[in-house]
Amino acid sequence: PADGYERTLYSRAQLNSVHGMFAASSLYSWGRTAEAEALWWRVAEQDSRLAIEALGSLARHYQMQRDAEGQYRVFRRLHSLQPQDPGIGNNFAFFAVLTHREQRAAERIARANLEAAPANAAYLATLAFILTQQGQAAEALRLLEPRKAELAQSPALAFAYGLALAGNGRKAEARPLLAGLPPETLTLTEVELIKSALAN
């Protein structure tokens, strides 16, 4: 009987975003994450007011899974729905470059964000990360140096600074910074990136 109920939920959800959100949450709580994920994406693609809510659920899901690809897809869609939101733009730019996509768009967004809010540590970290990934680690380091005192308070800055140090051949200084980041806050892609940056 549960199967029949789930099938009904699923078919209704495909017709209606409100049902979709309800069904996805139910399926997720029953451990049926793949079906929940598929439904959330269906709602997210239906330009309804619920798209943002569905994408929020997906972002939390991918964060728990430490899935950078999923985060990239979510923030790309969110950015297309809310292009003026700098926080969404920042996440989109970061995950785009982390997953080797849309480098030019990401750099443009990151530079605009930092120009508009130069004190924002997250925006600085994202631009520095992008520069390091583009082979401009010296430029990234130059941007980050004035904010060294904030590294302990900002994992984003510590991540960007550690990678910039490693990119400048200063792996011994980079290692404690990058090793000090709580792994559960990093996607698996970031963990791999740190490993390869510190490899001898």
Side-chain angles (χ1 to χ4, degrees), residues 142-163:
R142 193 186 62 71
L143 279 179
L144 291 164
E145 283 292 347
R147 307 283 290 271
K148 267 172 76 171
E150 297 166 52
L151 293 178
Q153 286 78 55
S154 169
L157 278 180
F159 177 75
Y161 192 66
L163 289 176

Side-chain angles (χ1 to χ4, degrees), residues 75-163:
F75 284 108
R76 182 173 198 264
R77 178 77 179 121
L78 276 170
H79 182 63
S80 75
L81 294 172
Q82 298 191 317
Q84 301 317 313
D85 185 308
I88 288 172
N90 184 61
N91 281 327
F92 165 61
F94 177 81
F95 286 111
V97 172
L98 183 63
T99 57
H100 310 290
R101 298 198 178 78
E102 304 184 70
Q103 314 271 321
R104 279 213 294 278
E107 185 181 346
R108 194 176 62 247
I109 291 165
R111 284 190 186 281
N113 272 351
L114 190 59
E115 266 169 42
N120 187 304
Y123 298 167
L124 172 63
T126 295
L127 180 58
F129 167 70
I130 291 170
L131 291 170
T132 298
Q133 293 308 98
Q134 291 174 347
Q136 302 175 60
E139 173 62 13
L141 215 48
R142 193 186 62 71
L143 279 179
L144 291 164
E145 283 292 347
R147 307 283 290 271
K148 267 172 76 171
E150 297 166 52
L151 293 178
Q153 286 78 55
S154 169
L157 278 180
F159 177 75
Y161 192 66
L163 289 176

Side-chain angles (χ1 to χ4, degrees), residues 2-188:
D3 265 0
Y5 178 58
E6 283 165 26
R7 263 201 304 280
T8 309
L9 263 185
Y10 200 81
S11 53
R12 279 183 132 171
Q14 293 177 329
L15 303 171
N16 175 319
S17 297
V18 177
H19 284 303
M21 286 303 291
F22 171 74
S25 299
S26 302
L27 288 163
Y28 197 76
S29 67
W30 298 333
R32 306 284 289 271
T33 50
E35 288 124 307
E37 193 182 334
L39 278 178
W40 277 324
W41 274 116
R42 191 171 286 270
V43 175
E45 278 145 19
Q46 288 170 352
D47 272 314
S48 68
R49 60 193 172 74
L50 286 172
I52 305 288
E53 200 181 318
L55 289 161
S57 299
L58 284 162
R60 284 187 293 280
H61 169 62
Y62 294 130
Q63 193 177 8
M64 301 279 291
Q65 302 289 314
R66 300 170 65 192
D67 177 348
E69 287 287 328
Q71 296 276 47
Y72 160 72
R73 287 174 55 215
V74 165
F75 284 108
R76 182 173 198 264
R77 178 77 179 121
L78 276 170
H79 182 63
S80 75
L81 294 172
Q82 298 191 317
Q84 301 317 313
D85 185 308
I88 288 172
N90 184 61
N91 281 327
F92 165 61
F94 177 81
F95 286 111
V97 172
L98 183 63
T99 57
H100 310 290
R101 298 198 178 78
E102 304 184 70
Q103 314 271 321
R104 279 213 294 278
E107 185 181 346
R108 194 176 62 247
I109 291 165
R111 284 190 186 281
N113 272 351
L114 190 59
E115 266 169 42
N120 187 304
Y123 298 167
L124 172 63
T126 295
L127 180 58
F129 167 70
I130 291 170
L131 291 170
T132 298
Q133 293 308 98
Q134 291 174 347
Q136 302 175 60
E139 173 62 13
L141 215 48
R142 193 186 62 71
L143 279 179
L144 291 164
E145 283 292 347
R147 307 283 290 271
K148 267 172 76 171
E150 297 166 52
L151 293 178
Q153 286 78 55
S154 169
L157 278 180
F159 177 75
Y161 192 66
L163 289 176
L165 285 170
N168 279 288
R170 294 162 62 183
K171 293 183 185 180
E173 292 167 75
R175 193 166 275 110
L177 266 179
L178 294 172
L181 294 167
E184 67 278 5
T185 65
L186 300 169
T187 63
L188 300 173

